[in-house]
Amino acid sequence: MKHVKFLAGVALALGLAVSASAQEMSFFRIGTGGTAGTYYPIGGLLANAISSPPGSRSCDKGGSCGVPGLVASALSSNGSVANINAIAGGSLESGFAQSDVATWAYSGTGIWQGKPAVEKLRTIANLYPESIHLVASAASGIKSVKDLKGKRVSLDEPGSGTLVDARIILEGYGLKEQDVTAEFLKPDQAADRMRDGAMDAFFFVGGFPAGAIAELASQHKVTLVPITCEEAPSICEKYSFFASDTVPGGTYEGNPDAVKTLSVGAQWITSADQPEELIYGITKALWNDSTRKQLDAGHAKGKSITKATALNGIGVPLHPGAERFYKEAGLLK
């Protein structure tokens, strides 16, 4: 009897192994941003949610609710522009991008004027609003964007959406890039310079609370500077993708009052070359109940990622797989 049980056990183990190996494994990369921003941790949450490696326990048995056989990973990058270029070049399957940058890339306008339009760009979902942060050292005395004149200011690194928006904001307030001592650093690098007294202010576009800013505010006196269309109406007149936003009081230490600012949408984009069935499965996994729990518990901005706002502010066509899901979900006719 023991011998029979042993053989049965071997057969079961072999069967499971064959089943796991028979399930095709595929890989899916998500380009995010710098590790100190919001894209990177959100990307990690979504990569985990849509993954279901071969041999994983099924969703209905308490296992992964991702796409069967899929192994997704979040990769740090230079942000929106870099992610779009990587998707266009085939070195990334997907990535996050600001709504403004994605729209410009797809249409060949704005910062993409004179470059080939990225016509194969497609959207999976709008995720959450990205707030424009202008962080100033309290010692600098900067209270308004206009006060940046003559100051040492980081506009973020080349290839980032933040750099694009920082230039738009300077222009809206009547400043040129040459009016400031511009540097082009990631937010964590700019924060390090500010701690050392070598940086007066820096821009960052991302969901709040941003890790690099929260850490800086706990060690150094900083001020969030307001950015509004009341003060600079030409910004919102010329660039309709900006929305009014507010960073709640207490989000960052030493800043007890709410601060008005602007925001753009953070969107998950991919290529039209990605298989329809794969993107359908990814979109379905993104909006299942299991992912909802992970987003709510995993990051402060996760609660802002909702199916109800999944189609907000999209200027790039949906991927056919995503479009199929939203039609089935009743969000599209």
Side-chain angles (χ1 to χ4, degrees), residues 90-206:
S91 58
L92 276 180
E93 287 73 42
S94 75
F96 297 158
Q98 294 169 200
S99 56
D100 50 352
V101 179
T103 301
W104 283 331
Y106 174 74
S107 60
T109 59
I111 63 166
W112 242 267
Q113 190 78 43
K115 302 177 187 177
V118 189
E119 295 177 348
K120 288 191 174 183
L121 206 60
R122 295 294 183 270
T123 305
I124 296 173
N126 181 64
L127 297 176
Y128 59 86
E130 294 192 86
S131 304
I132 300 177
H133 295 66
L134 175 52
V135 183
S137 170
S140 71
I142 296 169
K143 302 294 183 185
S144 165
V145 176
K146 290 181 178 179
D147 296 335
L148 294 178
K149 189 171 184 177
K151 302 292 187 180
R152 299 162 296 181
V153 185
S154 175
L155 308 181
D156 213 305
E157 62 186 339
S160 70
T162 299
L163 175 57
V164 178
D165 290 336
R167 286 170 169 159
I168 289 172
I169 289 162
L170 288 176
E171 180 186 4
Y173 277 83
L175 296 176
K176 298 177 181 178
E177 191 172 316
Q178 294 77 12
D179 290 329
V180 303
T181 301
E183 296 196 39
F184 305 92
L185 305 171
K186 292 181 179 181
D188 52 341
Q189 296 172 326
D192 287 341
R193 296 286 298 277
M194 189 173 283
R195 283 189 197 92
D196 296 338
M199 184 68 65
D200 296 311
F202 65 89
F203 284 91
F204 169 73
V205 179

Side-chain angles (χ1 to χ4, degrees), residues 23-24 26-31 42-54 56-57 59 63-74 93-96 124-125 127 268-270 274 277-288 290-292 294-295 305:
Q23 188 180 51
E24 188 177 346
S26 57
F27 298 92
F28 193 82
R29 293 163 293 189
I30 305 171
I42 291 293
L45 287 172
L46 295 185
N48 184 60
I50 67 173
S51 294
S52 184
S56 297
R57 208 165 28 157
C59 181
S64 170
C65 296
V67 179
L70 187 69
V71 177
S73 57
E93 287 73 42
S94 75
F96 297 158
I124 296 173
L127 297 176
W268 191 1
I269 55 173
T270 186
Q274 291 299 312
E277 201 61 36
L278 172 62
I279 301 301
Y280 171 78
I282 285 171
T283 310
K284 187 175 181 179
L286 168 62
W287 299 120
N288 68 34
S290 175
T291 303
R292 174 78 274 143
Q294 292 181 55
L295 290 172
I305 301 175

Side-chain angles (χ1 to χ4, degrees), residues 293-312:
K293 293 174 184 175
Q294 292 181 55
L295 290 172
D296 288 345
H299 191 277
K301 212 63 184 176
K303 294 178 181 178
S304 299
I305 301 175
T306 69
K307 191 158 55 174
T309 58
L311 303 177
N312 286 5

